[in-house]
Amino acid sequence: MGVQKKTRKFAQVKRVIGQRDARLKKNQAKGELEGKRKAMGDNVVREIPQVSSSLFFQYNTALRPPYSVLVDTNFLSHTVQHKLELLETMMDCLYAKCIPIITDCVMAELEKLGPKYRIALRLARDERCERLKCDHKGVYADDCLVDRVMKHKVYIVATNDRDLKRRIRKIPGVPIMSVARGKYVIERLPDAPEK
């Protein structure tokens, strides 16, 4: 048997405890807090949102003429840009009587936008449009519309805002109306006429 060769250990350094090591006192305190949070998290009762009784799968049976249409700020401005009549074009789109509904938040947003949107504001103040009072704080119209639609699924939401459309698409049974190609188009309304 030959002699075993010994290799010299090169640049050997003492091992140091890392900053995130569980043996350090500051990390032991953090570990105990996380353990308590996990224990508390297991006991939390998760709530499943109650599905509206008017929904038949994705079909909303509560939607029937006369349709209540929640109107957003940019829908009004796009209507003015395309020189469309609000009520007549809505009726042409849905083949039924429509009631445009404008919340206080939308009205406040239009007033804040100033003189550039004065025609849209005049359109919103029309006596044929219904006004809804808001009981929440703040005047962010998107949150107001989404909150109202979540509570009562009897509205069609009229908007051209991409983010608001994305939020409303997550709510089942709520149709979206928008301005496109010089007319109003509706999506997610099963009875809507195909054009």
Side-chain angles (χ1 to χ4, degrees):
M1 297 254 254
V3 179
Q4 191 176 10
K5 289 185 180 179
K6 275 191 175 179
T7 54
R8 248 169 95 204
K9 298 208 166 122
F10 181 72
Q12 194 174 19
V13 183
K14 258 187 173 178
R15 297 197 78 187
V16 180
I17 294 178
Q19 289 293 319
R20 294 186 182 152
D21 199 307
R23 293 173 285 181
L24 292 173
K25 284 188 180 178
K26 64 176 183 177
N27 294 337
Q28 284 176 348
K30 283 182 187 175
E32 287 172 13
L33 281 173
E34 285 178 15
K36 286 179 185 176
R37 283 185 192 151
K38 283 184 181 176
M40 293 285 283
D42 293 340
N43 298 335
V44 173
V45 178
R46 305 237 188 281
E47 285 187 33
I48 299 169
Q50 183 67 38
V51 179
S52 176
S53 61
S54 65
L55 285 181
F56 178 72
F57 296 112
Q58 293 288 315
Y59 184 88
N60 192 351
T61 56
L63 283 171
R64 52 186 53 174
Y67 294 112
S68 300
V69 185
L70 278 176
V71 181
D72 189 27
T73 311
N74 57 21
F75 184 82
L76 287 168
S77 67
H78 278 271
T79 300
V80 171
Q81 282 174 4
H82 288 282
K83 297 184 174 87
L84 297 170
E85 280 288 328
L86 182 71
L87 206 58
E88 285 79 358
T89 319
M90 268 185 196
M91 288 184 188
D92 289 345
C93 177
L94 293 171
Y95 291 144
K97 189 177 187 317
C98 301
I99 303 164
I101 297 174
I102 293 161
T103 61
D104 287 345
C105 295
V106 172
M107 197 62 94
E109 207 172 84
L110 275 169
E111 287 167 356
K112 251 194 279 186
L113 289 170
K116 192 176 178 184
Y117 291 86
R118 67 181 181 279
I119 300 169
L121 187 61
R122 190 183 306 154
L123 200 63
R125 286 192 177 135
D126 189 5
E127 64 272 352
R128 294 177 294 180
C129 295
E130 199 176 294
R131 287 290 298 274
L132 275 182
K133 297 280 181 212
C134 296
D135 54 354
H136 56 82
K137 292 177 182 173
V139 288
Y140 188 53
D142 291 6
D143 288 343
C144 175
L145 294 176
V146 169
D147 187 48
R148 198 168 286 274
V149 164
M150 289 276 275
K151 285 179 189 167
H152 316 286
K153 290 188 170 75
V154 294
Y155 298 112
I156 296 171
V157 179
T159 184
N160 266 41
D161 187 359
R162 191 175 292 149
D163 295 330
L164 182 57
K165 277 186 182 179
R166 196 173 294 135
R167 286 173 69 182
I168 288 170
R169 280 189 194 111
K170 292 176 185 170
I171 308 166
V174 179
I176 302 167
M177 184 184 281
S178 57
V179 182
R181 299 182 297 278
K183 62 182 181 183
Y184 292 167
V185 291
I186 188 107
E187 63 180 79
R188 293 173 51 185
L189 185 67
D191 300 333
E194 294 296 320
K195 286 187 179 180

